[in-house]
């Protein structure tokens, strides 16, 4: 088995089971998408399939993990990242089709708490968030690699809160894993996107990060040079279309 076949087999076994093999035979697009896009990207794939197209197969993970898979040779068709830096990384490596990269969504960063915790948390310079945590933990996607964590760390640093909060951080694999920590009660607060908070009934928004406290949250999408599906470009264009963006808007994203 050559390296490409091995990567394909590993990706299929780890993320999709038998669905990958079926999709490959139908040449359905394989989409690597940021974890925060789970509900919305699946809804877009369903809408695309209703137009008599093969339903895209989607692998959700942290943008950092997906970018590393692409760099390692994963035979995917499209990449939708939760930030521009990881798309920049694979673009510098020459792994995307020129002219296919586009920013298509925006989001907001929020602090969530248990749905039973009704206290608001001010996200501003001098915020007592560290004191409010007490012995509790703050869940974040890995602030050194994953977009949601990097946005959160940048905001806390700008507001002068990071030194007090850093020792209390529990690092999660991706933003949905950070959300799960709060849902399970393993962390008192969590830094997630507004769309993630909206997707869960077990948490509530306790605070909203000022938009100017972190880099703009932009989701770029691009077609990969490894793409083999004839439907990949059509699905990419659908995501960027008015109808496609309307789907994401229903889930709380801001179309760009």
């Amino acid at each position: 088995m050559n390296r490409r076949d091995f990567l394909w087999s590993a990706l299929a076994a780890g993320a999709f089971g038998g669905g990958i093999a079926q999709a490959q035979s139908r040449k359905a697009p394989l989409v690597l998408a940021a974890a925060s896009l789970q509900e919305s990207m699946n809804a877009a794939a369903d809408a695309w399939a209703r137009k008599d197209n093969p339903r895209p197969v989607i692998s959700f993970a942290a943008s950092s993990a997906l970018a590393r898979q692409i760099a390692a040779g994963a035979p995917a068709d499209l990449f939708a990242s939760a930030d521009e830096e990881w798309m920049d990384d694979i673009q510098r490596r020459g792994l995307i089709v020129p002219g296919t990269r586009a920013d298509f969504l925006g989001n907001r960063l929020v602090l969530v708490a248990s749905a039973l915790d009704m206290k608001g948390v001010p996200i501003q310079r001098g915020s007592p968030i560290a004191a409010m945590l007490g012995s509790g933990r703050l869940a974040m996607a890995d602030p050194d690699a994953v977009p949601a964590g990097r946005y959160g760390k940048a905001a806390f640093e700008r507001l002068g809160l990071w030194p007090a909060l850093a020792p209390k951080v529990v690092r999660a694999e991706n933003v949905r894993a950070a959300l799960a920590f709060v849902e399970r009660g393993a962390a008192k607060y969590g830094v997630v996107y507004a769309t993630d908070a909206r997707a869960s009934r077990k948490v509530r928004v306790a605070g909203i990060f000022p938009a100017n406290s972190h880099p703009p949250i932009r989701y770029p999408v691009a077609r990969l040079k490894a793409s083999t599906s004839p439907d990949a470009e059509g699905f990419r264009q659908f995501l960027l279309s008015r109808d496609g963006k309307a789907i994401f808007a229903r889930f709380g994203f801001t179309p760009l």
Side-chain angles (χ1 to χ4, degrees), residues 5 16 42 47 67-69 75 80 112 125 154 169 183 216:
D5 290 340
F16 318 108
N42 273 318
R68 292 178 184 122
Q69 289 179 19
V112 293
R125 187 170 292 277
V169 168
E183 290 177 325

Side-chain angles (χ1 to χ4, degrees), residues 100-119:
T100 65
R101 174 178 175 171
D103 290 341
F104 74 122
L105 300 173
N107 213 332
R108 291 296 304 271
L109 200 67
V110 300
L111 189 78
V112 293
S114 165
L116 301 177
D117 183 350
M118 303 307 294
K119 293 181 180 178

Side-chain angles (χ1 to χ4, degrees), residues 118-193:
M118 303 307 294
K119 293 181 180 178
V121 181
I123 310 297
Q124 60 193 28
R125 187 170 292 277
S127 170
I129 180 173
M132 294 176 74
L133 273 171
S135 60
R137 306 289 280 173
L138 172 65
M140 297 176 65
D142 185 353
D144 293 329
V146 182
R150 294 201 294 201
Y151 290 129
K153 180 181 178 181
F156 286 136
E157 286 180 331
R158 183 162 186 175
L159 296 172
L161 305 175
W162 184 246
L165 291 175
K168 299 175 180 289
V169 168
V170 54
R171 297 180 178 226
E173 181 180 358
N174 57 57
V175 70
R176 287 303 175 92
L179 180 70
F181 274 116
V182 182
E183 290 177 325
R184 297 197 306 264
K188 184 171 183 177
Y189 299 134
V191 177
V192 301
Y193 298 117

Side-chain angles (χ1 to χ4, degrees), residues 58-85:
I58 311 168
S59 174
F60 297 103
S63 300
S64 52
L66 297 174
R68 292 178 184 122
Q69 289 179 19
I70 294 167
D77 295 287
L78 299 177
F79 177 39
S81 173
D83 75 353
E84 296 179 292
E85 288 188 37

